[in-house]
Amino acid sequence: MNCCECLPNCVVLLLLLSLIALKSGDGETISQGNALSRQQGSKTSNDPVTYEIQMPGITPTKDDEYFCQGWKVPDGEFFVVKFQALAKSDTAHHLLLFGCPGPVSESPVYDCRDPCFDSKIMYAWARNAAPLELPDDVGFHIGNNTDIKYLSMQVHYATMFADVDRKDYTGVQLTVTKTRQKYVAGILLLVSGMAVIPPKTKNFHVDVSCYFDGADVLYPFAFRTHTHMHGRVVSAYMFNGTWFQLGKGNPHWPQAFWPIKENYAIKHSDGLAARCTYDSSDSDKEISMGETHNDEMCNFYLMYYTDSRSGRSYYGCGGNTVAELAKTLPSDSDVPLPPDPYLDEIGEGVAPKDSKTVDRWTQRLGSSQLPLGQVCAVAVDANGSVFVFHRGRSVWDSSSFDGRANFRLRANGPIREKTMIQINASTFDVVAQWADNTFYMPHGLSIDARGNFWVTDVALHQVMRFGPLWSSPQAVSKPELVLGVAFEPGDDEKHFCKPADVAVLRSGEVFVADGYCNSRVMKFSKDGIFIKQWGQHSKRVELTNSYPPPLTFDIVHSIVVLENRNLVCVADRENARVQCFTYDGNFVSQLHPKEFKPQIFAITYNEQTGYLYTVSGPSESQENITVKGNTIDMRNGTLLNSWHPITGFSQPHDVAVSPDGGFVYVVEIGPNVIWKFKLQTTASHQSVKKAGAFVHPISVGDDDDDTHVEEEEAEEEEGLEKKESYIGATLIIGGLIIMPLIVMVLILVFLRCCRKAKTQPSASRGNNRRFNLGSLLAGSRASEFLGKDDERRLELKHLQSDSEVEEYSSVPQQNA
């Protein structure tokens, strides 16, 4: 083999090494692309991503100003699968999102009535409405190959800001995927713009009607109504020989998209009609349709899906073009929905300041649905059934106990109402009720691994164990084990003083939070034999951000075991902290984020998620502090988020989590209600998210809280960007190092070929013409750089990225 004969081998080697360099370049490109996606969209995944369109700090200087914020859709095809308004009703009267074919305005923010030419409504929000998550396989198609290349967010500010320094950042968050959806979503708007409502009229109708002239078949799945202050009910129907109600809504409730429970198909030539009913009894003048908050509107938004290959994303039905058809609308079309003071309250209430953490409530049980006393405790058994403990007509107030903790109302006898209630976790229907004439002042409830019920009664100063429901009717009517002496407060091994809560290990050992008078934790065997105790009353510490020493308490109000961590943790109520101990009472750690203040009432833990859920309580001296729940990752003690209903908690008293970690339940002792929350898992953590029937955004917390969350997210993103930059720089430097190496290897190979050509006989050379990288490098110093493994093979590893799994959530149901 002469030098020329070696040339093909050198060429093959050069191609192979070039392939390595090419792959390194690809890796750099992918890395940069990931960084770009995170910067523009979601921080946790490349698909789906989230985008936020927000006002840059608007200050309305007059009433009824309209501002629009334009946004160019990134290059590519996308489907919007979720909308989340970042708004509050005391600032924004309503928010609309339009799809536009071309640039909206040369200015990013502009004063607008018409957001853009040939605009198409995609989303609407008002009155603290909920986030909207579309059904599976449905999305609004935007971007390339669509007529929506730009989006315009329109915000109506009903009233000017009195404070000229006040800035507004109202916005909307979009969840967008590149995954092609089977169906394209759209809006059919039924609207009237020409009617005049006479004064002093109780029941005035404004009708909208038309025949559907589209070629698509529309499958409606949600609707939204909108009027101003005089609207009472808005209803809409489809007619194809028979009237079918598409939806009916109270425009004073949160103007969310409510579900359409029946399956309908709107086809060409079907009749469509809507009726808005007004009450102008309090008006002395005519009311016209218009854009200001003193005018009126009559809008019915019908959200539908249709074939994604040819379907349109917008249709309109304006005016009463088929008046004869509208005259035959069902007679109950103007009958308002039954009153719901709670929904009225939300509709008129204040929306969250920041909706980056989303909560959705599923059910709220109490008030007229089920007469409840002070709901003091909640627990969930291994099957997911929910049990609540309430006080019937008994109320704990200043007259209940004397100065030595003796119950003053013993002569009244036990509570006559059934104080224990079993609730179906899915429907919130009452399954069973019992425990009447048993307790005097219920407080704590726990269910152990065997299904036993453990309760505390602060009036009796006792802890009781009742058998499982499935064992026998007598098991839940008569206690199997009683600790403490009835009506005798004390601080020795046989007495309690207002015991607050119980936690039980799988082994049967029992921990009692003997919290109100004694400030201690007591440990008992499964048979109720005293083992040990720890804790003493702590003195108040007035210094900011200072706490009493560990192993001291100011009301041990709640207790829970973390068996996978061999810990028992307590809610040190007045000290606004959680303290954790070994089973023998040795102090391990404490948690006291500012979000626990002013008091922490209850804690619960789920082994599957590793999260501790807490609820705080109100303070008479700190009226402006928001009462909230918190989620703590016990693997590192990090506060993941804070949460509460949009109207806020009033007096939450206890919290429980389902065995699978899917739901959290909170009970309040005023108002006497039960809340159910659904948990949503994200790539970074699991946040509390209320879901199902009807949904509302909630606040993350105070300004300080928002800063905490945003700083944490910023640190995460900064770390990701640094990592991406580090990888990119490493690859560039690596390339600069590799290129001289390639040149050196080629020179060595070339010289070796020439040396072999001079030393080997020609016959021998002719018997081995196959290229072999190992033989070429054998004996040369280049093998020291590649290593022995690389002499045998060259392995290329492809860059990989995991996508966040999107959780399906149906459109929320209307009835709560």
Side-chain angles (χ1 to χ4, degrees):
M1 176 185 265
N2 56 33
C3 295
C4 294
E5 289 174 327
C6 187
L7 184 59
N9 294 338
C10 294
V11 172
V12 173
L13 180 60
L14 179 61
L15 291 174
L16 182 58
L17 294 175
S18 299
L19 177 62
I20 298 173
L22 180 62
K23 279 297 180 181
S24 298
D26 289 345
E28 182 179 357
T29 301
I30 293 172
S31 176
Q32 290 174 346
N34 287 345
L36 182 62
S37 296
R38 273 187 283 268
Q39 183 180 3
Q40 291 185 342
S42 172
K43 300 173 184 175
T44 59
S45 176
N46 289 328
D47 190 63
V49 298
T50 58
Y51 296 95
E52 291 183 1
I53 308 172
Q54 285 187 283
M55 290 296 173
I58 293 296
T59 303
T61 57
K62 59 183 179 181
D63 292 348
D64 294 306
E65 279 199 280
Y66 284 74
F67 285 99
C68 285
Q69 169 77 60
W71 185 74
K72 185 181 185 299
V73 178
D75 188 44
E77 285 190 63
F78 304 93
F79 289 83
V80 183
V81 295
K82 182 178 178 181
F83 301 88
Q84 163 75 57
L86 310 177
K88 51 186 179 180
S89 63
D90 67 335
T91 300
H93 177 269
H94 72 251
L95 178 154
L96 297 175
L97 184 67
F98 296 88
C100 304
V104 179
S105 171
E106 294 182 359
S107 173
V109 179
Y110 53 101
D111 189 352
C112 67
R113 287 295 194 273
D114 295 322
C116 63
F117 174 74
D118 195 22
S119 62
K120 298 173 178 61
I121 292 178
M122 295 175 57
Y123 174 67
W125 171 95
R127 291 183 175 272
N128 298 330
L132 173 64
E133 195 161 357
L134 304 187
D136 204 12
D137 295 328
V138 177
F140 282 88
H141 195 189
I142 63 174
N144 296 352
N145 300 318
T146 76
D147 55 359
I148 299 178
K149 305 293 194 306
Y150 292 78
L151 300 181
S152 179
M153 178 188 68
Q154 181 195 74
V155 179
H156 174 199
Y157 296 94
T159 56
M160 62 179 289
F161 288 177
D163 183 359
V164 295
D165 295 325
R166 179 184 174 188
K167 305 294 183 182
D168 178 61
Y169 299 90
T170 290
V172 61
Q173 184 183 84
L174 310 178
T175 301
V176 176
T177 178
K178 290 184 177 180
T179 303
R180 179 166 291 277
Q181 303 298 291
K182 185 176 180 181
Y183 303 101
V184 63
I187 294 287
L188 191 160
L189 174 61
L190 291 87
V191 57
S192 176
M194 300 300 293
V196 176
I197 303 169
K200 303 296 183 182
T201 304
K202 178 77 173 176
N203 202 37
F204 185 79
H205 295 164
V206 173
D207 293 337
V208 180
S209 63
C210 66
Y211 286 112
F212 179 61
D213 60 358
D216 299 321
V217 177
L218 310 184
Y219 301 94
F221 63 88
F223 72 93
R224 173 186 179 269
T225 64
H226 181 72
T227 70
H228 291 173
M229 66 181 70
H230 296 95
R232 292 298 175 263
V233 61
V234 181
S235 55
Y237 300 82
M238 177 183 73
F239 182 81
N240 56 11
T242 304
W243 285 110
F244 296 97
Q245 181 175 291
L246 297 173
K248 176 185 279 191
N250 181 341
H252 292 276
W253 290 351
Q255 293 183 9
F257 278 89
W258 305 87
I260 296 175
K261 298 180 181 179
E262 303 297 331
N263 296 321
Y264 296 120
I266 300 175
K267 301 178 181 179
H268 184 79
S269 299
D270 283 347
L272 296 172
R275 170 164 288 171
C276 299
T277 303
Y278 301 90
D279 183 356
S280 61
S281 301
D282 60 349
S283 178
D284 295 324
K285 59 181 181 180
E286 292 182 341
I287 305 167
S288 301
M289 296 288 148
E291 297 173 335
T292 76
H293 67 284
N294 292 319
D295 298 322
E296 269 300 342
M297 287 188 174
C298 176
N299 295 354
F300 186 95
Y301 298 86
L302 190 68
M303 189 170 285
Y304 62 83
Y305 65 85
T306 188
D307 193 316
S308 64
R309 293 169 296 181
S310 59
R312 287 173 51 185
S313 60
Y314 179 78
Y315 285 97
C317 178
N320 193 14
T321 60
V322 194
E324 294 302 318
L325 180 65
K327 290 179 181 178
T328 66
L329 279 168
S331 59
D332 63 350
S333 61
D334 60 356
V335 176
L337 294 171
D340 191 319
Y342 180 70
L343 292 181
D344 287 334
E345 179 181 342
I346 296 174
E348 299 295 340
V350 176
K353 179 181 296 185
D354 187 346
S355 301
K356 290 183 178 178
T357 301
V358 180
D359 279 67
R360 298 180 177 177
W361 61 277
T362 52
Q363 284 102 344
R364 173 184 182 268
L365 183 61
S367 304
S368 60
Q369 299 112 313
L370 177 67
L372 294 171
Q374 291 182 326
V375 189
C376 54
V378 60
V380 184
D381 68 8
N383 298 318
S385 293
V386 181
F387 298 85
V388 296
F389 201 21
H390 74 108
R391 295 172 180 162
R393 299 181 184 178
S394 183
V395 176
W396 188 350
D397 56 25
S398 59
S399 65
S400 300
F401 296 88
D402 64 17
R404 297 183 177 181
N406 294 298
F407 187 57
R408 288 172 169 170
L409 307 178
R410 179 178 178 181
N412 294 342
I415 299 169
R416 293 188 292 272
E417 292 85 7
K418 293 179 172 62
T419 55
M420 192 75 71
I421 303 174
Q422 180 184 4
I423 297 171
N424 183 298
S426 299
T427 64
F428 251 33
D429 294 331
V430 174
V431 177
Q433 299 184 65
W434 69 96
D436 51 332
N437 297 304
T438 304
F439 303 107
Y440 286 78
M441 190 65 72
H443 194 277
L445 169 66
S446 299
I447 302 175
D448 66 23
R450 296 175 175 81
N452 297 311
F453 291 79
W454 293 81
V455 301
T456 68
D457 188 316
V458 293
L460 288 169
H461 304 287
Q462 288 182 318
V463 174
M464 304 178 191
R465 184 187 73 200
F466 294 81
L469 281 177
W470 46 263
S471 58
S472 69
Q474 291 75 25
V476 295
S477 61
K478 185 177 180 181
E480 298 177 341
L481 177 68
V482 178
L483 303 177
V485 181
F487 298 110
E488 289 187 14
D491 58 3
D492 57 25
E493 298 176 2
K494 296 184 181 297
H495 289 81
F496 302 107
C497 187
K498 300 179 185 175
D501 198 14
V502 180
V504 185
L505 294 173
R506 293 187 180 94
S507 63
E509 290 179 311
V510 182
F511 298 92
V512 177
D514 188 23
Y516 278 94
C517 315
N518 293 327
S519 296
R520 64 180 177 177
V521 175
M522 301 182 72
K523 182 179 180 181
F524 297 85
S525 72
K526 64 180 180 180
D527 300 317
I529 299 173
F530 174 79
I531 298 176
K532 68 180 309 178
Q533 67 179 25
W534 66 86
Q536 59 183 332
H537 187 75
S538 59
K539 296 181 180 180
R540 287 283 182 170
V541 176
E542 302 297 339
L543 296 177
T544 303
N545 296 325
S546 297
Y547 290 84
L551 290 165
T552 65
F553 308 108
D554 192 351
I555 303 182
V556 190
H557 198 262
S558 181
I559 189 167
V560 66
V561 290
L562 288 61
E563 292 203 57
N564 63 335
R565 301 189 177 279
N566 298 316
L567 295 175
V568 55
C569 298
V570 301
D572 187 1
R573 195 183 85 177
E574 300 301 305
N575 290 326
R577 65 180 175 177
V578 171
Q579 294 192 61
C580 294
F581 309 91
T582 66
Y583 297 157
D584 292 326
N586 297 315
F587 174 77
V588 176
S589 62
Q590 65 177 347
L591 302 169
H592 46 73
K594 62 182 181 297
E595 287 79 6
F596 285 0
K597 293 182 178 181
Q599 301 169 318
I600 181 169
F601 268 68
I603 57 177
T604 191
Y605 178 72
N606 182 266
E607 287 190 359
Q608 291 195 30
T609 62
Y611 296 160
L612 187 80
Y613 301 97
T614 75
V615 288
S616 299
S619 172
E620 294 181 0
S621 61
Q622 295 173 300
E623 297 179 356
N624 294 328
I625 292 183
T626 302
V627 179
K628 67 190 79 172
N630 300 287
T631 305
I632 306 291
D633 188 342
M634 290 302 289
R635 292 168 293 188
N636 50 31
T638 302
L639 173 71
L640 298 180
N641 55 52
S642 300
W643 40 270
H644 59 73
I646 194 169
T647 53
F649 287 124
S650 178
Q651 298 183 65
H653 197 259
D654 198 16
V655 61
V657 62
S658 62
D660 63 357
F663 296 92
V664 163
Y665 303 87
V666 176
V667 295
E668 297 195 70
I669 58 174
N672 305 320
V673 295
I674 309 159
W675 295 95
K676 178 182 177 182
F677 299 82
K678 183 179 180 183
L679 305 179
Q680 174 182 340
T681 302
T682 65
S684 58
H685 64 267
Q686 189 174 44
S687 61
V688 176
K689 173 184 176 184
K690 298 177 276 184
F694 175 67
V695 296
H696 303 293
I698 65 161
S699 64
V700 174
D702 307 328
D703 287 341
D704 293 338
D705 302 339
D706 297 341
T707 302
H708 171 80
V709 173
E710 290 171 0
E711 286 176 353
E712 182 178 55
E713 292 176 346
E715 289 171 2
E716 290 180 7
E717 182 166 1
E718 182 181 1
L720 289 169
E721 291 175 352
K722 287 181 179 179
K723 183 177 180 181
E724 299 288 357
S725 301
Y726 174 78
I727 293 172
T730 301
L731 290 170
I732 293 171
I733 295 171
L736 295 175
I737 294 173
I738 287 174
M739 290 308 297
L741 179 62
I742 293 174
V743 174
M744 182 175 66
V745 169
L746 289 175
I747 293 172
L748 289 172
V749 171
F750 184 78
L751 292 175
R752 184 169 177 78
C753 288
C754 293
R755 187 167 64 249
K756 283 188 176 183
K758 294 178 180 179
T759 60
Q760 291 184 355
S762 60
S764 174
R765 292 197 302 268
N767 292 334
N768 188 14
R769 303 296 290 264
R770 182 170 57 89
F771 172 72
N772 187 300
L773 177 63
S775 64
L776 281 173
L777 298 177
S780 75
R781 294 185 178 271
S783 63
E784 297 177 8
F785 290 94
L786 293 179
K788 294 182 179 180
D789 291 338
D790 293 307
E791 289 181 29
R792 293 190 296 266
R793 65 180 181 177
L794 183 63
E795 181 180 357
L796 300 177
K797 294 183 179 180
H798 297 281
L799 294 176
Q800 297 178 352
S801 61
D802 297 329
S803 295
E804 181 180 356
V805 178
E806 181 183 3
E807 177 186 347
Y808 167 74
S809 177
S810 61
V811 177
Q813 304 294 317
Q814 180 169 352
N815 296 322

